[in-house]
Amino acid sequence: MVAVATGQGAGAIEALRGLEDERPAVRLRAALVVGSTPEARFVRKLVERCAVESDFFVRDMLTWALTRHPVSVTLPELLREVGSERAQARSQALHTLSKIGDRRGWPAITRAILSDADDEVARSAWRAAVVLVPDGEESELASMLATQLGRGERETQLSLSRALVALGEVVEPALRVAAVGPDPRVRTHALATERLLRDPDAGFEFAIEEAKRVVALGGSGREGQ
């Protein structure tokens, strides 16, 4: 048994070196090996690699590998990483927190991170927030998320709408306020999100185009309700 364990440990250490290989396929395999033989001492290296890894699939495997380790080890590292100056480090740490799903990660979800200047970081924060929000704090989160309505291009707006819809009916007051505000872009996004909340099958593109027509005509989107 000792020989087997030692062999496994040596394989994982070799895999850690493989995370630095220039070939994505080798890095992917390395992350798989490290996740298959989790050891607390490997967590720091996995988190560091997430911050610089260029390949989406490898990043996804790194996140999986981190979820295989004890939360007591990964959580402090990830919370610290959310404060990194590197945008990818923040984004990947938030993404991993959402995958782990432990609500002790909630302190990472600050107003600042929800409005991060980097769209990818903000999107990761929105997704993580919906997963980690404590019971009873959904309305406050909805209000914070609503301040980001109208932001960015399609993918960013879609991510925010999905996060708001995932919170359910508690978002309605915040959306109603945004839907009558002075900024047409914010109004359009709010109305589209309201439509998706009522009818999740409507599709984002349809909801946005419908909302644009309503705003252009000076309506509230509630005519006939």
Side-chain angles (χ1 to χ4, degrees), residues 131-142:
V131 174
L132 303 176
V133 61
D135 292 337
E137 296 189 31
E138 294 89 351
S139 294
E140 184 178 354
L141 174 59

Side-chain angles (χ1 to χ4, degrees), residues 82-177:
V82 172
S84 171
E85 293 182 359
R86 185 188 293 268
Q88 183 172 305
R90 300 196 300 277
S91 176
Q92 284 301 120
L94 289 160
H95 174 65
T96 305
L97 285 170
S98 73
K99 292 299 183 182
I100 292 173
D102 192 302
R103 285 183 168 177
R104 287 175 292 178
W106 176 247
I109 310 301
T110 62
R111 186 177 294 274
I113 203 70
L114 289 171
S115 58
D116 195 283
D118 185 280
D119 283 348
E120 193 57 43
V121 175
R123 290 170 61 189
S124 294
W126 302 336
R127 290 190 294 267
V130 171
V131 174
L132 303 176
V133 61
D135 292 337
E137 296 189 31
E138 294 89 351
S139 294
E140 184 178 354
L141 174 59
S143 295
M144 287 192 288
L145 291 177
T147 66
Q148 302 301 297
L149 286 164
R151 170 179 174 166
E153 301 305 321
R154 180 192 180 281
E155 288 303 315
T156 299
Q157 293 195 3
L158 175 58
S159 290
L160 182 58
S161 289
R162 283 174 171 168
L164 286 163
V165 168
L167 288 174
E169 294 181 357
V170 298
V171 306
E172 290 180 348
L175 291 177
R176 282 197 295 269
V177 171

Side-chain angles (χ1 to χ4, degrees), residues 9-27:
I13 292 171
E14 180 64 28
L16 283 179
R17 288 194 284 267
L19 292 176
E20 306 292 341
D21 196 280
E22 64 181 14
R23 294 163 294 181
V26 174
R27 300 198 302 275

Side-chain angles (χ1 to χ4, degrees), residues 142-221:
S143 295
M144 287 192 288
L145 291 177
T147 66
Q148 302 301 297
L149 286 164
R151 170 179 174 166
E153 301 305 321
R154 180 192 180 281
E155 288 303 315
T156 299
Q157 293 195 3
L158 175 58
S159 290
L160 182 58
S161 289
R162 283 174 171 168
L164 286 163
V165 168
L167 288 174
E169 294 181 357
V170 298
V171 306
E172 290 180 348
L175 291 177
R176 282 197 295 269
V177 171
V180 295
D183 188 330
R185 189 174 172 87
V186 172
R187 290 174 60 201
T188 297
H189 194 185
L191 288 171
T193 305
E194 282 187 316
R195 174 59 188 262
L196 291 175
L197 186 63
R198 296 194 306 269
D199 181 11
D201 295 326
F204 186 69
E205 294 296 343
F206 174 81
I208 281 287
E209 291 306 315
E210 181 182 69
K212 285 180 179 177
R213 287 194 293 272
V214 171
V215 171
L217 293 170
S220 67

